[in-house]
């Protein structure tokens, strides 16, 4: 029987204001049969606001009863998404868990549905038989599919047809939020890659797990989710820098795995269309200047390496 470990990462948000936590708690209260499939609920609190951190640490006890147990992890620091996930994974690895144990990755602002759990459990016999490492719903943002995405050219992600479902024959990627990942698959890749603390952690995780021979299974369940980069003009400068660095690091790491040299044209295309076009079109001139420095720094560091250019 499949066991689920829902893991919510909070950041400077009171736990009783988290849409994800509230919807998860409500689903489990109203569907007691699902409790048998829950191994542990973990909340990793990345809040560095002292008042919110203290509030959450104290408040968590109000949600524990004889049916639902919530395991709280937090130290008043923002350790990033990758380390937060690994903290949860390390706790779970202390148990003697079966091969059919899954961590359900959740952010703080997703509206969960019963179907996310029911559809996962309905197909659980197929997962071990077909070496499934990732099970994911179809995630929609502003009427576009943002997860899963097909990988076209090496570093380009493409929106699939809306009826994508079941075992995926081709390599896909997606977002972490609302994805189930088998704990054995995480062990195979030596935990979540902490070189990607926030952005592109999802893409590098999908890439690494599929490189280990695991497959991806897409559920018919639809989840609505808001992504900050869909409202590009509102992206803060520091977040944009993190995003660009993660994107370039992802390209570098995937190229190493493929054992193919990087073509300079890849970076030129990203520089012109992913960076210049978006920032200038939105009159984000500070982002343009700062982002250009990120590209130049990366290309300068690797220009002497034949592996890259």
């Amino acid at each position: 029987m499949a066991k689920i470990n829902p893991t919510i990462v909070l950041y400077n948000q009171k736990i009783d204001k988290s849409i994800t936590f509230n919807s998860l708690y409500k689903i489990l209260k109203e569907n007691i049969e699902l409790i048998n499939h829950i191994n542990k609920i973990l909340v990793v609190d990345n809040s560095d606001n002292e008042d919110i951190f203290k509030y959450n640490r104290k408040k968590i006890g109000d949600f524990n009863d004889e049916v639902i147990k919530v395991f709280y992890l937090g130290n008043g620091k923002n350790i990033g998404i990758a380390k937060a996930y690994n903290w949860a994974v390390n706790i779970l690895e202390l148990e003697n868990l079966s091969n059919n144990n899954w961590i359900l990755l959740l952010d703080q602002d997703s509206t969960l549905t019963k179907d996310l759990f029911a559809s996962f459990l309905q197909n659980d016999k197929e997962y071990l038989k077909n070496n499934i490492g990732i099970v994911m719903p179809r995630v929609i943002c502003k009427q576009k599919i943002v997860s899963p995405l097909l990988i076209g050219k090496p570093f380009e992600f493409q929106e699939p047809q809306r009826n994508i479902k079941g075992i995926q024959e081709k390599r896909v990627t997606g977002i972490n939020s609302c994805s189930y990942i088998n704990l054995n698959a995480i062990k195979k890749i030596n935990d979540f890659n902490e070189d990607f603390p926030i952005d592109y952690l999802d893409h590098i995780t999908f890439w690494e797990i599929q490189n280990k021979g695991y497959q991806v299974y897409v559920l018919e369940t639809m989840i609505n989710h808001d992504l900050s980069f869909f409202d590009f003009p509102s992206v803060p400068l520091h977040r944009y820098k993190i995003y660009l660095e993660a994107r370039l690091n992802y390209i570098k790491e995937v190229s190493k795995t493929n054992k193919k040299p990087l073509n300079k044209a890849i970076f030129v295309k990203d520089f012109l269309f992913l960076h210049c076009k978006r920032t200038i079109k939105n009159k984000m001139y500070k982002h343009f200047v700062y982002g250009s420095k990120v590209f130049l720094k990366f290309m300068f560091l690797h220009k002497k390496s034949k592996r890259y250019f």
Side-chain angles (χ1 to χ4, degrees):
M1 181 173 68
K3 287 287 188 177
I4 304 168
N5 299 274
T7 300
I8 303 172
V9 179
L10 298 177
Y11 176 66
N12 287 345
Q13 185 180 69
K14 292 182 177 180
I15 190 167
D16 51 348
K17 300 298 182 183
S18 166
I19 296 172
T20 306
F21 184 84
N22 288 334
S23 57
L24 172 64
Y25 195 80
K26 185 173 186 290
I27 289 168
L28 295 180
K29 280 293 187 181
E30 294 178 352
N31 302 275
I32 300 299
E33 72 278 6
L34 293 178
I35 294 292
N36 292 330
H37 296 277
I38 303 296
N39 175 60
K40 191 181 255 71
I41 300 171
L42 301 104
V43 172
V44 187
D45 193 357
N46 268 352
S47 299
D48 50 17
N49 180 303
E50 185 176 358
D51 291 338
I52 293 178
F53 163 67
K54 289 181 177 179
Y55 178 90
N56 287 341
R57 187 172 57 181
K58 182 179 180 181
K59 187 71 176 179
I60 202 77
D62 295 346
F63 296 97
N64 286 316
D65 55 31
E66 67 279 0
V67 176
I68 297 177
K69 303 294 183 185
V70 183
F71 198 90
Y72 178 81
L73 301 169
N75 58 12
K77 297 179 181 178
N78 181 8
I79 59 175
I81 302 295
K83 287 185 177 181
Y85 288 162
N86 284 335
W87 195 352
V89 168
N90 291 338
I91 294 296
L92 295 173
E93 287 180 345
L94 294 175
E95 304 178 48
N96 186 22
L97 299 177
S98 71
N99 292 335
N100 208 7
N101 253 269
W102 302 76
I103 183 169
L104 172 58
L105 303 177
L106 299 167
D107 60 22
Q108 62 190 20
D109 294 318
S110 297
T111 301
L112 307 183
T113 64
K114 177 185 177 182
D115 191 46
L116 177 64
F117 296 89
S119 59
F120 170 80
L121 294 170
Q122 183 179 0
N123 301 288
D124 73 330
K125 292 182 180 179
E126 295 188 50
Y127 304 149
L128 295 181
K129 181 173 65 175
N130 293 289
N131 201 33
I132 304 297
I134 301 170
V135 180
M136 59 195 302
R138 288 176 283 179
V139 182
I140 308 296
C141 179
K142 299 186 186 303
Q143 300 184 328
K144 292 192 68 175
I145 293 180
V146 295
S147 184
L149 297 173
L150 302 178
I151 299 180
K153 294 179 181 179
F155 312 107
E156 294 183 2
F157 308 145
Q158 302 172 351
E159 184 180 357
Q161 296 180 351
R162 287 187 173 271
N163 62 354
I164 184 171
K165 61 182 179 180
I167 300 173
Q168 299 304 296
E169 296 181 1
K170 296 182 179 180
R171 186 185 286 272
V172 299
T173 190
I175 63 174
N176 284 324
S177 186
C178 296
S179 292
Y180 295 86
I181 302 186
N182 186 277
L183 284 172
N184 279 351
I186 296 173
K187 291 178 184 178
K188 287 285 187 180
I189 64 170
N190 298 315
D191 298 338
F192 291 92
N193 193 330
E194 294 182 5
D195 289 337
F196 296 82
I198 303 176
D199 294 309
Y200 274 80
L201 174 64
D202 37 22
H203 299 308
I204 198 66
T205 300
F206 274 64
W207 178 266
E208 290 176 347
I209 286 177
Q210 289 171 92
N211 277 348
K212 292 297 183 180
Y214 289 95
Q215 298 193 84
V216 176
Y217 191 101
V218 178
L219 303 172
E220 294 189 57
T221 303
M222 289 277 195
I223 298 289
N224 288 306
H225 185 69
D226 286 330
L227 294 177
S228 59
F229 271 79
F230 265 66
D231 184 21
F232 185 69
S234 68
V235 176
L237 184 59
H238 74 281
R239 280 290 287 111
Y240 184 57
K241 175 179 178 289
I242 293 171
Y243 165 78
L244 286 181
E245 289 176 340
R247 164 76 178 174
L248 295 172
N249 195 27
Y250 171 79
I251 292 173
K252 182 183 71 173
E253 290 302 314
V254 170
S255 295
K256 284 182 180 179
T257 305
N258 283 345
K259 297 181 180 179
K260 293 180 180 179
L262 283 177
N263 189 326
K264 188 176 180 180
I266 294 170
F267 295 100
V268 172
K269 185 176 181 180
D270 264 20
F271 178 77
L272 292 176
F273 297 101
L274 183 145
H275 168 59
C276 296
K277 184 177 180 180
R278 287 202 297 184
T279 54
I280 294 174
K281 179 181 178 181
N282 290 286
K283 299 181 180 179
M284 301 166 70
Y285 301 121
K286 288 185 178 180
H287 289 61
F288 170 75
V289 172
Y290 208 80
S292 298
K293 291 179 180 179
V294 171
F295 273 94
L296 290 172
K297 179 181 178 182
F298 184 87
M299 295 177 75
F300 176 78
L301 287 174
H302 299 290
K303 71 177 182 178
K304 295 183 180 179
S305 172
K306 293 182 180 179
R307 175 175 187 79
Y308 294 99
F309 306 121

